[in-house]
């Protein structure tokens, strides 16, 4: 018997869609690509899967995701980072499209990380590891 193909969820889109609707991030653009004209001073959260692996025995996808939070000044970027952090932990136990989020764990909490490609940027970085149970294709 052949196992059905797995339908892996798009973790970047899952996080973008979830955070984009959160009141903690009102006025913040959340996406996996920078908006047009982005120079690092806008209120933006950029979401990027940077690693992780499928755990076959547990039927879990464990993506490692970086969230870059930018703002017009360091204080705003930090405040938005803390809002993003609190909102992101609310993903636990939720289902989005083809995935159920069984856990959200910080791998590296909110930290200041200057963006050397955008000299006026104010950026904080957070790295999280999610545990996702993907739906199986028929």
């Amino acid at each position: 018997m052949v196992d059905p193909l797995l339908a892996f969820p798009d973790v970047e889109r899952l996080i973008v869609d979830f955070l984009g609707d959160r009141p903690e991030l009102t006025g913040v653009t959340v996406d996996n690509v920078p908006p047009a004209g982005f120079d690092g001073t806008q209120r933006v959260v950029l979401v990027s899967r940077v690693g992780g692996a499928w755990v076959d025995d547990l039927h879990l996808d464990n993506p490692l995701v970086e969230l870059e939070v930018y703002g017009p000044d360091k204080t705003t970027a930090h405040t938005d980072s803390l809002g993003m952090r609190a909102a992101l932990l609310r993903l636990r136990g939720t289902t989005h499209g083809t995935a159920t989020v069984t856990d959200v764990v910080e791998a590296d909490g909110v930290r200041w990380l200057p963006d050397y490609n955008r000299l006026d940027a104010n950026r904080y970085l957070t790295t999280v590891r999610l545990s996702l149970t993907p739906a199986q294709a028929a």
Side-chain angles (χ1 to χ4, degrees), residues 55-73:
V55 182
D56 194 40
D57 292 346
L58 299 176
H59 297 282
L60 287 176
D61 189 19
N62 286 134
L64 191 62
V65 180
E66 282 188 349
L67 298 108
E68 298 173 90
V69 181
Y70 289 87
D73 53 59

Side-chain angles (χ1 to χ4, degrees), residues 1-6 136-138:
M1 181 172 148
V2 176
D3 288 334
L5 291 176
L6 290 171
Q136 293 191 353

Side-chain angles (χ1 to χ4, degrees), residues 21-83:
D21 292 333
R22 297 298 307 173
E24 299 92 330
L25 297 172
T26 299
V28 178
T29 299
V30 181
D31 208 340
N32 62 346
V33 295
F38 181 69
D39 67 3
T41 63
Q42 298 90 338
R43 293 178 67 205
V44 172
V45 176
L46 296 177
V47 180
S48 301
R49 181 176 179 148
V50 295
W54 169 251
V55 182
D56 194 40
D57 292 346
L58 299 176
H59 297 282
L60 287 176
D61 189 19
N62 286 134
L64 191 62
V65 180
E66 282 188 349
L67 298 108
E68 298 173 90
V69 181
Y70 289 87
D73 53 59
K74 190 173 180 181
T75 301
T76 302
H78 187 248
T79 299
D80 288 344
S81 292
L82 297 176

Side-chain angles (χ1 to χ4, degrees), residues 103-118:
D103 204 4
V104 179
V105 177
E106 284 187 333
D108 192 13
V110 173
R111 65 183 170 106
W112 174 249
L113 184 65
D115 184 335
Y116 298 106
N117 294 315
R118 299 175 180 98

